[in-house]
Amino acid sequence: MALIKLSNIRRTYQVGNTEVRALAGVDLSVDSGDYLAIMGSSGSGKSTLMNLLGCLDTPTSGTYELANTAVQELTDDQLAALRNREIGFVFQSFNLMPRATAQVNVELPLLYAGVSSTVRSQRAQAALEKVGLADRAQHRPNELSGGQRQRVAIARALVNDPSLLLADEPTGNLDSATSREIMTVLDDLNAAGVTVLLVTHEDEVAQHASRRIELKDGLIVSEHRQGWDA
Amino acid sequence: MNYHEAFLSALSHLASHKLRSALTTLGVVFGVGAVIAMLSIGAGAELQAQGMIERLGLKNVLIRAETLAGDQLQEARKKSAGLSFRDSEAILDAVPGVAGVAPKVEIDPYAIVAGTTTAEGLVYGVSESHGELAGLRLSRGRFLDAWDVRDHAQVCVVGKGLAEELFGFTDPLGSWVKVNDVWLRVVGILTASGGEADSFEGVPLGGSSRAIYVPVTTALRKFDRDALESPLTELIVRLDEASEGPSTARVIGGLLERLHAGVDDYQLVVPEALLEQSRRTQKLFNLVMGCIAGISLLVGGIGIMNIMLATVMERTREIGIRRAVGARKRDVLVQFMVESFTISAVGGLAGIVMGLLIAKGIAASAGWPTVVTPSSILLATGVAITVGLASGIYPARRAAELDPIESLRYE
Ligand SMILES: Nc1ncnc2c1ncn2[C@@H]1O[C@H](COP(=O)(O)OP(=O)(O)OP(=O)(O)O)[C@@H](O)[C@H]1O
Ligand SMILES: [Mg+2]
């Protein structure tokens, strides 16, 4: 069953008098439980695509169905609710709140889901435990290593049990050993049934996915499935 | 996110920027402090004015003889004899709504002696109804009565302050006091009178603490007076409950004008009108102080807005993160509104404390009476909250309208 269905998605930016076509007609279907790597050179439109998939941005034209809902018909508040319940984000630059502890950062999505504070703290604890950081709950981001910060970000992304995890170059700022740590966490999540979409430049990282697409100038130019051993 | 949580998070954010938050609240602190202090001065002055008017008697109209001298006096006396019993009888007979008229004569005392003690004071000749009309209260003994007045009795009632000074610990009742060269027996002692001030809006109040009251007949007969001087110094006209001061005063004015052949040797004082006048002065004072407080609050509000705009800018990325994990525009709006509200609420509380201190300080140093009323605290709190909300709305809206993607990319 298709969780995501994109058809003929275009996204153009108006910069001065010129039009920048970040996405030039993308068709894509992703099944529930898929593990998809998005590759492509810089400026090919990967982040633009991720933002659209994450309901942070709206396409200039085309349709996007997420779990059989036509996203372009939703109101701003409904989009926020969708991001809150169905989607988890992991960014290249972690995007944690610098003054808040790991615990508070992880609780953030639950705050907007209206979860009571005791349940919030339990679920944040559980999420931190899943990424192996139960003992760092009271640390602030600047007291954590890069890999640990990204694991806090992953804990935040999965604390609301989303059906879709979007990771835009999650290992882009990390060394290869730490990258492997992060990828193990993502692999485990996918194994547990979460659909994972991941942008990367590195072949080694893309190997973890079961399916890989390549973007060029805002279009999907190649797509193939790969075995775990490939 | 509910308001309770938003409030807690605002508090913790403000606590993490203590100095900045404290400086931001200052405008509101001073504004609210000024409002409370100003209103306390206003309320104190109002209370004082009311007290003084009560001493004059709100239901009285006073007619005072003008103090004239030299040629002016000579001229006036050619046509008019000054304020006299003729006036008092005419008013009682001809003016409707008058319940009673009490004459008063001021005597110039060059010596007040009891035993070996001398003191300075004021000496008035009054009728038996004066005590009630002027609101004098006895602590001991009796007031002058009709027989004292009829018989030119050499008795007196003494104010508390003067009695203590003249007699010390010995009982003044029944003792003798000599005023100029007239011996008077003390028959009554007054309680301490209300305020210390002895004039209001330019009208002497005849403070009773240092006064000696003698029968008006005694005053006229036993004490030497200048022949050209007005026979009476004052008439207190008591109006009945139904009649109005200003309109009755006009009728009395017309009557006196005829009796005095148009000579302006008297002055009509209507306490009701004085009160009105003092209220007008007070209103002006309140307006000026209100403007100052208003400007201070405006500056405070602008300060809060300024800091909130800077905060929103500084936390653009945080706003992007919150939006990405599911915050609605409204959630972001509420977060920043609550923050600016909290700043002004804290400032308001501090301002109330400061206002109370200023009011106390003014009362202690300048000697003005100040009264902090609950309504002034309520008003100041309301103003502080309004300032917080008004100055927060624009920055908060700006935060809510930020584009999530742009915010996440913001450096
Ligand atoms: N806000 C914007 N305004 C104008 N042009 C934009 C904007 N965002 C992206 N673009 C343009 O759209 C194109 C795609 O950008 P995008 O960020 O999706 O690339 P990317 O594949 O993620 O690149 P990288 O690998 O460097 O992250 C680029 O040419 C970029 O300049
Ligand atoms: Mg990118």
Side-chain angles (χ1 to χ4, degrees), chain B residues 285-308:
Chain B
F285 170 83
N286 279 354
L287 195 71
V288 172
M289 287 301 288
C291 283
I292 294 172
I295 289 168
S296 174
L297 282 166
L298 185 71
V299 171
I302 291 170
I304 293 179
M305 191 189 282
N306 191 20
I307 285 297
M308 288 309 296

Side-chain angles (χ1 to χ4, degrees), chain A residues 13 15 20 22 41-48 169 201, chain B residues 406 409:
Chain A
Y13 293 105
V15 181
V20 180
S41 57
S42 183
S44 57
K46 304 180 298 293
S47 295
T48 307
E169 301 190 44
H201 285 291
Chain B
E406 306 263 314
R409 265 211 290 253

Side-chain angles (χ1 to χ4, degrees), chain B residues 141-209:
Chain B
R142 62 172 179 84
F143 200 70
L144 307 171
D145 60 24
W147 289 276
D148 296 329
V149 176
R150 193 194 61 194
D151 300 339
H152 316 100
Q154 282 176 244
V155 294
C156 67
V157 172
V158 185
K160 186 166 192 285
L162 195 58
E164 278 168 4
E165 197 172 322
L166 284 173
F167 300 103
F169 295 109
T170 59
D171 186 3
L173 277 189
S175 303
W176 292 85
V177 56
K178 195 172 97 173
V179 175
N180 297 353
D181 38 63
V182 181
W183 285 100
L184 302 160
R185 192 165 51 83
V186 179
V187 296
I189 313 289
L190 298 174
T191 56
S193 63
E196 289 304 310
D198 43 29
S199 81
F200 174 71
E201 300 273 340
V203 177
L205 290 170
S208 59
S209 177

Side-chain angles (χ1 to χ4, degrees), chain A residues 19-197:
Chain A
E19 252 189 13
V20 180
R21 296 166 77 191
L23 293 176
V26 170
D27 296 296
L28 179 68
S29 166
V30 180
D31 284 341
S32 187
D34 258 359
Y35 197 167
L36 178 76
I38 301 168
M39 303 195 70
S41 57
S42 183
S44 57
K46 304 180 298 293
S47 295
T48 307
L49 180 60
M50 289 298 258
N51 289 336
L52 286 170
L53 289 169
C55 302
L56 282 168
D57 196 8
T58 46
T60 314
S61 69
T63 58
Y64 171 21
E65 273 180 40
L66 177 65
N68 294 323
T69 329
V71 170
Q72 63 269 20
E73 282 162 19
L74 299 181
T75 64
D76 211 69
D77 284 1
Q78 286 171 320
L79 287 175
L82 200 60
R83 287 197 295 271
N84 186 244
R85 286 195 307 269
E86 300 298 336
I87 302 167
F89 268 105
V90 178
F91 304 92
Q92 177 175 355
S93 53
F94 319 134
N95 275 335
L96 298 173
M97 296 194 297
R99 288 179 182 281
T101 59
Q103 169 90 24
V104 171
N105 268 291
V106 174
E107 280 186 22
L108 197 62
L110 299 173
L111 193 65
Y112 294 112
V115 176
S116 78
S117 75
T118 43
V119 176
R120 273 206 311 263
S121 114
Q122 282 165 11
R123 281 173 61 179
Q125 275 293 328
L128 282 168
E129 209 155 315
K130 254 191 221 171
V131 297
L133 281 180
D135 54 337
R136 294 286 193 274
Q138 296 314 316
H139 289 227
R140 283 169 212 282
N142 62 1
E143 298 159 351
L144 296 169
S145 74
Q148 287 170 333
R149 284 184 217 183
Q150 194 61 301
R151 280 192 279 160
V152 172
I154 293 173
R156 181 180 66 195
L158 59 85
V159 73
N160 242 355
D161 292 327
S163 44
L164 177 62
L165 190 83
L166 301 172
D168 192 349
E169 301 190 44
T171 60
N173 283 358
L174 304 173
D175 63 35
S176 52
T178 320
S179 289
R180 276 193 293 279
E181 267 178 42
I182 296 300
M183 290 317 295
T184 319
V185 176
L186 293 185
D187 292 349
D188 289 349
L189 282 171
N190 180 246
V194 180
T195 311
V196 177
L197 268 67

Side-chain angles (χ1 to χ4, degrees), chain B residues 7 304 336-346 384-385 388-389 392:
Chain B
F7 181 68
I304 293 179
F336 286 96
M337 287 299 283
V338 165
E339 214 161 279
S340 92
F341 168 79
T342 308
I343 292 176
S344 68
V346 170
I385 289 171
L389 295 181

